[in-house]
Each structure stands twice: as structure tokens, then as C-alpha cells.
Amino acid sequence: MAIDLTALRAHFPSLDHGLAFFDGPGGTQTPRPVADAITATLTGPLSNRGTVSPSELNAERAVAEFRAAYADLLDVPARGIVHGRSATQLTYDFSRHLAKSWEEGDEIVLSRLDHDCNVRPWVQAAGRAGVTVRWIEIDGETAELDLDSYERALSPRTRLVAVTAASNVLGTKPPLRRIADLAHEVGALVYADGVHYAAHHLVDVPALGADLFVCSPYKFLGPHCGVLAAAPELLETLRPDKLLPSPDTVPERFEFGTLPYEILAGATAAVDFLATMDPGPGVTRRERLAHSLSSLHEHEQALRTRLEEGLRALGDAVTVHSKAADRTPTLLMTLHGRDAREAQVHLAARGVLAPAGSFYAYEPFAALKLEDPALRVGLAPYNTAEDVDRLLDGLSSFLRA
């Protein structure tokens, strides 16, 4: 079980520029099959959806294939796949949809580990509805969620628990199934931010226990958009504000305006590309995805080990804040007495892209009193051992300067 890295990298025109990309948590590079799918759809023929002309049928096919692809990727029915411009837009939309049923005195539970995409929409919706916000805290020693604080936050009035499946800065993967089971015991829904998680693991939304799960294809080789997955039966209970003539069927009732068919085609192509990385003997796309993403996990974990060993060799000059036992290959670090943005510039001059900042992770930075900016290094499918060594050499030369 192994990915042919040379063959994989040949599909990425951007890699011809000689850059080593460690900015995957903010968005990955795009393989040519994804760009080709976008181009082919745009140049059509293409028109609004319908059942008469070839251009209408092409639009219908782009939508149907998108829903089928993300049903396979996330293990939900195709009718449970909702397209959005971004995960942030989808979360704002669904915060409004869900808050329609909230009453003053109700409560929601949010996580200090989360990207602000899965915090501020809920805080603002709660404020409008007169709903109390309670918090799951972070253990400063382990960079993991404090589940004791979670159990204290839950009550019979809890209507929603919003939590990440994996932190975009620390890589921490909280025990989502346990969190979901406890939420369901008090009758609460679970909204999971899977943006970072889906970039590194095969997703099984029912197994994770999430009622609603959001991800972003551009974090796993696709175009810029968002996808929300849920059971169609749950979506049937939600009534969004919408235009009177627009469809009232699920999932179309949540998709406002004309869909970007070319983006849907590119997002579908990204799933197909993931399934071909190391498909194994799989017959279905889901089986091929499982084999490929298992191989990807092994590849990224090996690179993470190499990176962590190299960072330890740099001694006390580097503090790595990613400490959870279960985490993605994403490391957040600060450099003793040095500005992380200066390190970013130093590395970029050497063809290594590793961004500095707080990455919309307002709550984790505040809770852990992390320096802003910090340096974030995230591994992606196309990274190599040579990339890791270039990064380590660049950091070493920066720290010596």
C-alpha cells in the first residue's frame, strides 16, 4: 500500500515552479484533472438546468455527479449533500436555519478549539435568539479539549453542540463520536467543522456521530467551495428563507440562486482524483477512496515524523504547540525571540511556503495564550521528504541569522 509520489506530483502544474508548499491547511494546490473538468464544463455547451437541450442536461449532470461524489466521500445519501460558496457561508446559513426553533433560555455549546467559522455564526445567532453560549475548554498541557468542561456545559436545555473534527492550527482531533453521543443524550444536534479533518481522513459522517458536517473541497485538491452533509430526513425539518419560485425539495431548498456548475464539476473531479492515488482492489468509488486515503495517511504520518524529529534537533529555539495524542500532520510553532512573519519571508525567499498568523483560530490562540503570529506547517498529499528537509534547512538558517 503506497502512493506513487512521482506520478502523483506530475498532475500538479504548480509544482513545476520548484516551490515546497506547506500551506495546505489554508488551501491545497490543484491537479490538472480538476482544472480540466472546470474548463470542459464551462465550455459546454452549458445553460441553466433542464431536461430538453444538451446544455441543460450538462448542467443537470454536473449537479447529480457532484452530489454522488460527495455522498461517496462523506458516506451520506446524495440528497443530503448541500453546496455552498464556503464552509463559513454554509455555517452562517445553517445557524439562521437552526436558530428559528431556538427559544430564550435555550443553550448551545461551542469549543475553544475551533476556527472562528464554527464559533462566530453561532455566537451571533445565539445573541439574536436570547440563547446562552457555554464552552468546551482546552487543556493547556495537551492541546486537547477538556471533556470534563464539556460535560459540565451540557444540560437538558442544550440545543446544539458545534465542534471541530480537527483543529486547523493545532491538528488536534477531539473524540467526536463521544462528544456527539453525549450531545444526543440531552437531545442536542451536533454541527461538526470537518474542513481540516476531511483533508486527511476518509469521512464517515454517521460513524462520527455528526448531524451536520461541513467541509471545503479546496482543502483537498478541489476548487473553492463548501459542502454540507446531513441526513435528508434532518434537512426536511429545516425551513430556510428562500425565493418563492425556487425549489422546495431537499437539498435544493438550501442552495440559493443558480449553482456554479463548473465548480461542482471541479469538486467532483477532486474526489475522483483522491480515489485514484492508490485505489487498491476497490470496485466502488468509496472503496477506492478508503484505500487511497489510508495510503495518504501513512505517507503524511511518515513525513510528520521526519519533520518533528528535525524540529527537535533545533532545540529550544522552536516550541511546537501541536501536542495532542491524536492529530493531523499540521504543526503550529513559535520561534524563541524571533518573529514568525520574518521566518515566513525567509523561507519564501528559499522557495518554501509556510505561512505565519493566527489563521482565524481566534479562540485557540486566546485560550492557550499563543503568540500571534505563529508559524503553521501543514502537510499535503504532494509533499516529499525533500520538501521537509528544505523547510528544516530554511528554519535552521533563519535561527542562525
Side-chain angles (χ1 to χ4, degrees), residues 1-297:
M1 184 182 294
I3 292 173
D4 183 338
L5 204 55
T6 300
L8 175 77
R9 286 172 59 87
H11 291 288
F12 292 83
S14 61
L15 300 184
D16 295 341
H17 295 269
L19 300 172
F21 294 94
F22 291 97
D23 57 345
T28 51
Q29 300 304 298
T30 306
R32 192 175 297 281
V34 171
D36 289 345
I38 293 170
T39 300
T41 303
L42 274 175
T43 54
L46 184 67
S47 61
N48 281 336
R49 298 165 68 182
T51 60
V52 178
S53 72
S55 57
E56 292 174 336
L57 292 169
N58 282 343
E60 289 284 358
R61 183 165 52 253
V63 176
E65 290 179 351
F66 165 78
R67 298 206 203 284
Y70 283 82
D72 286 346
L73 182 69
L74 306 176
D75 204 25
V76 298
R79 289 183 61 245
I81 297 297
V82 181
H83 167 270
R85 184 177 62 80
S86 66
T88 299
Q89 175 251 305
L90 283 164
T91 305
Y92 264 114
D93 285 350
F94 276 81
S95 72
R96 291 187 288 268
H97 306 334
L98 290 167
K100 285 184 173 185
S101 66
W102 297 349
E103 299 176 351
E104 189 170 344
D106 285 344
E107 301 174 356
I108 64 172
V109 177
L110 308 180
S111 151
R112 301 287 187 195
L113 186 63
D114 273 67
H115 184 288
D116 215 49
C117 157
N118 205 29
V119 174
R120 218 54 49 193
W122 305 111
V123 169
Q124 292 162 357
R128 289 189 296 270
V131 167
T132 299
V133 177
R134 302 197 182 279
W135 293 92
I136 315 173
E137 304 296 340
I138 304 178
D139 185 321
E141 295 298 316
T142 64
E144 302 196 46
L145 284 180
D146 178 352
L147 295 187
D148 289 338
S149 72
Y150 173 53
E151 294 194 36
R152 290 193 298 270
L154 286 172
S155 84
R157 298 297 309 217
T158 305
R159 303 299 302 277
L160 175 91
V161 175
V163 64
T164 188
S167 165
N168 73 308
V169 289
L170 296 166
T172 302
K173 293 187 294 181
L176 186 55
R177 182 66 204 220
R178 180 179 173 191
I179 290 169
D181 286 345
L182 290 171
H184 293 153
E185 286 179 7
V186 298
L189 292 174
V190 175
Y191 188 100
D193 172 3
V195 171
H196 190 60
Y197 183 93
H200 300 285
H201 296 280
L202 182 70
V203 178
D204 185 333
V205 171
L208 290 171
D211 298 291
L212 302 111
F213 182 98
V214 69
C215 64
S216 300
Y218 74 98
K219 303 299 177 78
F220 44 88
L221 314 182
H224 289 81
C225 64
V227 177
L228 181 135
E233 295 78 12
L234 172 60
L235 295 179
E236 292 280 6
T237 69
L238 304 178
R239 308 298 308 185
D241 295 329
K242 68 176 193 65
L243 302 182
L244 186 60
S246 65
D248 196 39
T249 53
V250 167
E252 284 85 357
R253 70 168 63 147
F254 302 102
E255 297 167 333
F256 309 130
T258 301
L259 288 169
Y261 307 119
E262 69 279 8
I263 297 298
L264 301 186
T268 299
V271 173
D272 285 334
F273 185 86
L274 290 172
T276 65
M277 291 190 303
D278 182 22
V283 176
T284 67
R285 180 163 49 192
R286 177 74 179 177
E287 290 169 345
R288 296 192 299 273
L289 282 164
H291 199 277
S292 288
L293 292 174
S294 178
S295 293
L296 172 62
H297 180 72

Side-chain angles (χ1 to χ4, degrees), residues 305-382:
T305 298
R306 188 185 191 98
L307 175 58
E308 289 175 331
E309 290 173 351
L311 291 173
R312 283 194 291 270
L314 296 177
D316 295 339
V318 178
T319 299
V320 177
H321 301 281
S322 300
K323 299 179 287 187
D326 190 11
R327 53 193 167 87
T328 68
T330 294
L331 302 181
L332 187 76
M333 65 193 79
T334 48
L335 311 174
H336 183 66
R338 306 298 297 272
D339 189 320
R341 292 205 191 279
E342 292 180 3
Q344 176 185 353
V345 171
H346 180 90
L347 291 167
R350 287 153 180 78
V352 177
L353 274 64
S358 56
F359 312 102
Y360 285 69
Y362 177 84
E363 296 296 338
F365 267 71
L368 297 178
K369 298 180 173 60
L370 296 171
E371 294 178 27
D372 183 4
L375 198 68
R376 181 179 67 182
V377 174
L379 295 166
Y382 41 72

